[in-house]
Amino acid sequence: MLGCTPETSDKELKLAYRRKAAEYHPDKIASKGLPEEFMRHADDQMKSITVAYEAIVEARKQQAKVVS
């Protein structure tokens, strides 16, 4: 979803998240006057992007605890 690999740094991961979020952010889509069905699609994509980012961050936190 974010186009990252396990080797992607935390900084690059956050940047990838922000790029994708900016692409599908509902406010940005609304300002373009796009149809309602695209708004729903953008909302679904934004949720998927956020879930993917949060899952990766959480997995990295868990892995860091195991290594420590």
Side-chain angles (χ1 to χ4, degrees):
M1 186 89 222
L2 297 175
C4 297
T5 66
E7 292 78 28
T8 301
S9 71
D10 291 344
K11 185 177 180 179
E12 291 170 331
L13 174 65
K14 191 170 192 172
L15 184 59
Y17 167 74
R18 288 184 175 175
R19 283 185 186 139
K20 284 288 191 180
E23 186 177 340
Y24 290 103
H25 196 278
D27 292 341
K28 188 171 185 177
I29 301 302
S31 70
K32 292 180 179 181
L34 296 171
E36 181 62 30
E37 64 251 8
F38 194 81
M39 289 291 294
R40 285 191 297 274
H41 172 72
D43 188 49
D44 290 343
Q45 288 291 65
M46 191 66 208
K47 287 176 186 174
S48 296
I49 292 164
T50 301
V51 167
Y53 176 74
E54 290 174 351
I56 294 168
V57 169
E58 186 61 31
R60 287 182 175 192
K61 284 181 186 177
Q62 294 299 322
Q63 186 177 13
K65 285 181 183 179
V66 171
V67 173
S68 297

